[in-house]
Amino acid sequence: MSVDDDPTVSRAIARDLRRRYGESYRIVRAESGAQALDALRQMKLRGDVVAVLLADYRMPEMSGLQFLEQAMDLYPAARRVLLTAYADTSAAIDAINVVDLDYYLLKPWDPPEEKLYPVLDAQLESWRSSDYRPVPETKLVGHRWSARSSEIREFLARNQVPYRWYSSESPEGQRLLTAAGVDAQSIPLVVAPDGTAMVAPSDAELAQRVGLRTSPSSDFYDLVVVGGGPAGLGAAVYGASEGLRTVLVERTATGGQAGQSSRIENYLGFPDGVSGAQLTERARRQAIKFGAELVTTRDVVGLEVNGAARTVRFADGNSIDAQTVILATGVSYRRLGADGIDSLTGRGVFYGSALTEAANCAGRDVYIVGGANSAGQAAVYLARSAQQVTLLVRGTSLESSMSHYLIEQIAAIDNITVRACCEVVEAHGADELEALTLRDCTTGQTSRVDAGWLFVFIGATPHTDWLDGTLTRDQYGFLLAGPDLGATPPGWNLDRSPFHLETSVPGVFVAGDARAESAKRVASAVGEGAMAVMLVHRYLEGL
Ligand SMILES: Cc1cc2nc3c(=O)[nH]c(=O)nc-3n(C[C@H](O)[C@H](O)[C@H](O)COP(=O)(O)OP(=O)(O)OC[C@H]3O[C@@H](n4cnc5c(N)ncnc54)[C@H](O)[C@@H]3O)c2cc1C
């Protein structure tokens, strides 16, 4: 970059630079310090790198020295060269210390082959040997205690968007904040690959800027899949690979619950386990390879039947039509509201994954929270391998919440203890769960117990509220399908019964955890996604 307030000199130097370096470098010319700084700020946000700054010493408003000093805040590694008249050489020499000047060049520089190029060749060589690598990907400036900063990190990671994280306290983080013209309080700052700066953007803004698809490309499809967890991704892969025009709509990031799992050990074909993020990334690539559209950050809030079309409505009021729909909206596990639990989740504290962890707690003491069947089944299952299983129940007994047969089974197993009127108030441990503080709800007394394993079964809520009144759900909100609906559900007007995963509306299917009595496993969710596509074909053949 060269800066000179005299347009003739400015053009002349840019011409000479272009002649020698134009093939390998971009030559940027400015006629004032302010204009040059503006260009540098934009380059910084775009992730461009600057090799050499060449500034005239005498410029009105902002001198060459003042410019170089400010430019240093943005590009400390760029080589700094001052252009001076002979009379100003002593000032230039003084400047060597002020702005850590690398060289001063005397005007005029003719012939450039002798006076300009050798100087710049040497400067460029020094610059190339320094760490000048560009950072073209998304940049995130945040703070480790800022909740939105962590959410954005997770959002980018779960969507497999390459990004670089800078603490707002680091020098480069501060440089980016300066370039964007925002203060350290205005975090997180996200700089998209095209240089656009966004302060605390929403997921939708972010998705749009970093190149994730946020809108469907068409308004009619053969198949709309709602939900991007294992069931939805499975349906998208099979739907698209079998020639259906398929779009998958996900409210946040693909992966669903499985995307949050650090290691899935029981998924077929991965004897050493696979992280949810890896599995999701592969499934996404596979779906895209077959031509499925993956739309993220779009919340589906309505489903309507319009003749043969099924209309899927988004939160912003827009909608798309399809011949068929697969609902794969999954569930959220209710979280245990005790201190210290969140940071130990996956590190001794587990939600709904007793089967996967059972082998790891062989010979250990295990605690389970919950008084319903899921907690009871987990207790029976874990008691086979664990040394001692303690079931912590908030109610006075299991009778009101658990099936009788399970209560009898539990009573007959020696190494299961039931502690009624008991709740977890705190989880302790630095890297993994080490102990729990329990409170007796009748006396209010607390006690601390050593614990390495805590399984939480306090219920899962399916994401199906928006389907109330449109589809038949069970008492907990899970979608009923196939034989669970009976031969002719209310409002059913076909002369056949619903197909296996078909809901109470023909052509609308459910797969995965959102379905009543589903297995709540990654493999079964993927399997149901594939099976639902097979039933979609059967439905389309009958139209
Ligand atoms: C921490 C953890 C660890 C686990 N570990 C294992 C394991 O090791 N092995 C195993 O077999 N199982 C495991 N499970 C269970 C497994 O992850 C689930 O059974 C599986 O993810 C269910 O897949 P799904 O596609 O049905 O639903 P989900 O994974 O819940 O995905 C549903 C998706 O739909 C989206 N969605 C919901 N509503 C809407 C809407 N209205 N519009 C748009 N999108 C919507 C959600 O954002 C979500 O991404 C684990 C679960 C958790 C939470």
Side-chain angles (χ1 to χ4, degrees), residues 152-190:
I152 289 182
R153 282 178 93 159
E154 193 184 327
F155 177 84
L156 293 172
R158 287 186 61 192
N159 276 299
Q160 280 87 44
V161 176
Y163 73 95
R164 199 170 283 193
W165 158 264
Y166 300 93
S167 160
S168 55
E169 289 161 353
S170 70
E172 187 62 8
Q174 283 169 5
R175 267 174 228 129
L176 286 164
L177 289 169
T178 308
V182 296
D183 57 36
Q185 311 312 317
S186 307
I187 52 162
L189 167 75
V190 181

Side-chain angles (χ1 to χ4, degrees), residues 153-449:
R153 282 178 93 159
E154 193 184 327
F155 177 84
L156 293 172
R158 287 186 61 192
N159 276 299
Q160 280 87 44
V161 176
Y163 73 95
R164 199 170 283 193
W165 158 264
Y166 300 93
S167 160
S168 55
E169 289 161 353
S170 70
E172 187 62 8
Q174 283 169 5
R175 267 174 228 129
L176 286 164
L177 289 169
T178 308
V182 296
D183 57 36
Q185 311 312 317
S186 307
I187 52 162
L189 167 75
V190 181
V191 185
D194 66 359
T196 312
M198 296 168 280
V199 175
S202 68
D203 285 357
E205 285 171 314
L206 202 55
Q208 231 165 9
R209 277 290 165 191
V210 298
L212 293 171
R213 184 183 277 281
T214 54
S215 302
S217 66
S218 163
D219 49 17
F220 191 81
Y221 292 85
D222 295 325
L223 169 63
V224 175
V225 180
V226 185
L233 285 167
V237 166
Y238 286 95
S241 70
E242 290 169 19
L244 298 173
R245 276 170 303 152
T246 304
V247 62
L248 179 150
V249 186
E250 163 57 49
R251 86 163 34 135
T252 52
T254 45
Q257 300 164 66
Q260 291 156 32
S261 171
S262 55
R263 186 157 287 269
I264 298 163
E265 304 265 7
N266 58 350
Y267 190 62
L268 189 72
F270 293 90
D272 303 317
V274 58
S275 77
Q278 275 174 326
L279 199 61
T280 303
E281 201 269 329
R282 288 171 191 202
R284 269 177 67 102
R285 270 200 284 135
Q286 213 168 1
I288 290 168
K289 182 184 92 175
F290 286 124
E293 267 179 41
L294 305 189
V295 173
T296 47
T297 67
R298 294 301 289 270
D299 206 355
V300 174
V301 296
L303 174 71
E304 292 150 31
V305 177
N306 290 314
R310 305 289 173 259
T311 303
V312 166
R313 198 163 290 288
F314 301 123
D316 63 3
N318 289 328
S319 63
I320 44 174
D321 286 347
Q323 305 210 64
T324 58
V325 175
I326 295 178
L327 299 165
T329 51
V331 301
S332 294
Y333 279 91
R334 253 179 239 132
R335 296 271 148 185
L336 188 63
D339 288 343
I341 285 284
D342 287 350
S343 60
L344 293 168
T345 299
R347 293 188 281 158
V349 176
F350 298 94
Y351 286 88
S353 49
L355 294 177
T356 17
E357 293 299 324
N360 297 330
C361 21
R364 313 286 293 272
D365 289 352
V366 167
Y367 287 80
I368 298 174
V369 181
N373 280 1
S374 54
Q377 282 167 3
V380 171
Y381 186 80
L382 289 166
R384 289 186 210 152
S385 51
Q387 176 171 280
Q388 179 66 40
V389 175
T390 308
L391 197 57
L392 306 171
V393 186
R394 211 173 348 178
T396 48
S397 74
L398 290 175
E399 260 69 29
S400 59
S401 52
M402 197 178 284
S403 300
H404 185 65
Y405 83 92
L406 262 180
I407 298 176
E408 284 191 335
Q409 271 186 26
I410 287 171
I413 298 172
D414 285 344
N415 62 340
I416 302 184
T417 313
V418 179
R419 281 188 64 173
C421 299
C422 181
E423 61 182 4
V424 178
V425 287
E426 192 170 354
H428 310 270
D431 294 326
E432 55 194 48
L433 181 68
E434 288 164 12
L436 295 168
T437 300
L438 308 177
R439 180 166 53 208
D440 185 313
C441 305
T442 38
T443 64
Q445 262 185 346
T446 56
S447 56
R448 187 178 161 123
V449 292

Side-chain angles (χ1 to χ4, degrees), residues 11-204:
R11 274 196 294 273
I13 190 152
R15 182 203 57 214
D16 286 348
L17 291 174
R18 218 165 268 128
R19 197 176 291 156
R20 168 107 176 175
Y21 304 106
E23 277 197 6
S24 320
Y25 294 87
R26 190 152 65 95
I27 314 296
V28 182
R29 177 173 81 83
E31 291 180 8
S32 74
Q35 195 187 43
L37 283 173
D38 224 32
L40 285 180
R41 275 187 215 105
Q42 284 171 31
M43 287 190 253
K44 183 80 198 172
L45 293 176
R46 275 204 306 269
D48 291 344
V49 287
V50 176
V52 178
L53 298 163
L54 201 65
D56 182 34
Y57 174 66
R58 269 183 199 278
M59 290 192 290
E61 283 157 27
M62 188 184 288
S63 74
L65 285 182
Q66 285 166 328
F67 162 73
L68 289 174
E69 202 172 355
Q70 290 190 39
M72 252 166 96
D73 290 340
L74 295 165
Y75 284 104
R79 308 297 289 180
R80 289 174 285 276
V81 178
L82 201 62
L83 271 177
T84 54
Y86 184 72
D88 294 325
T89 43
S90 56
I93 291 165
D94 292 345
I96 289 179
N97 293 329
V98 181
V99 294
D100 198 9
L101 199 66
D102 294 301
Y103 209 88
Y104 69 88
L105 265 172
L106 283 182
K107 291 201 236 182
W109 57 87
D110 281 333
E113 285 72 13
E114 269 177 40
K115 295 192 176 153
L116 180 66
Y117 300 150
V119 171
L120 287 184
D121 284 349
Q123 294 304 323
L124 287 170
E125 202 187 318
S126 314
W127 176 74
R128 277 195 301 267
S129 59
S130 66
D131 184 18
Y132 67 89
R133 279 164 302 154
V135 185
E137 69 265 51
T138 302
K139 296 177 270 294
L140 168 60
V141 185
H143 195 278
R144 69 201 147 120
W145 305 129
S146 140
R148 187 63 193 144
S149 298
S150 327
E151 283 165 12
I152 289 182
R153 282 178 93 159
E154 193 184 327
F155 177 84
L156 293 172
R158 287 186 61 192
N159 276 299
Q160 280 87 44
V161 176
Y163 73 95
R164 199 170 283 193
W165 158 264
Y166 300 93
S167 160
S168 55
E169 289 161 353
S170 70
E172 187 62 8
Q174 283 169 5
R175 267 174 228 129
L176 286 164
L177 289 169
T178 308
V182 296
D183 57 36
Q185 311 312 317
S186 307
I187 52 162
L189 167 75
V190 181
V191 185
D194 66 359
T196 312
M198 296 168 280
V199 175
S202 68
D203 285 357

Side-chain angles (χ1 to χ4, degrees), residues 407-532:
I407 298 176
E408 284 191 335
Q409 271 186 26
I410 287 171
I413 298 172
D414 285 344
N415 62 340
I416 302 184
T417 313
V418 179
R419 281 188 64 173
C421 299
C422 181
E423 61 182 4
V424 178
V425 287
E426 192 170 354
H428 310 270
D431 294 326
E432 55 194 48
L433 181 68
E434 288 164 12
L436 295 168
T437 300
L438 308 177
R439 180 166 53 208
D440 185 313
C441 305
T442 38
T443 64
Q445 262 185 346
T446 56
S447 56
R448 187 178 161 123
V449 292
D450 289 341
W453 302 90
L454 178 73
F455 293 94
V456 185
F457 290 90
I458 52 175
T461 323
H463 299 293
T464 59
D465 284 355
W466 58 283
L467 293 161
D468 190 31
T470 311
L471 301 181
T472 309
R473 306 187 299 158
D474 73 6
Q475 56 176 320
Y476 306 107
F478 290 94
L479 293 170
L480 292 175
D484 292 340
L485 285 164
T488 45
W492 187 262
N493 54 10
L494 300 180
D495 55 6
R496 63 164 176 85
S497 301
F499 294 134
H500 206 76
L501 298 175
E502 199 171 21
T503 65
S504 53
V505 169
V508 177
F509 299 82
V510 56
D513 282 13
R515 188 176 65 80
E517 304 298 330
S518 59
K520 312 285 185 292
R521 292 286 167 268
V522 176
S524 50
V526 172
E528 287 188 11
M531 182 175 166

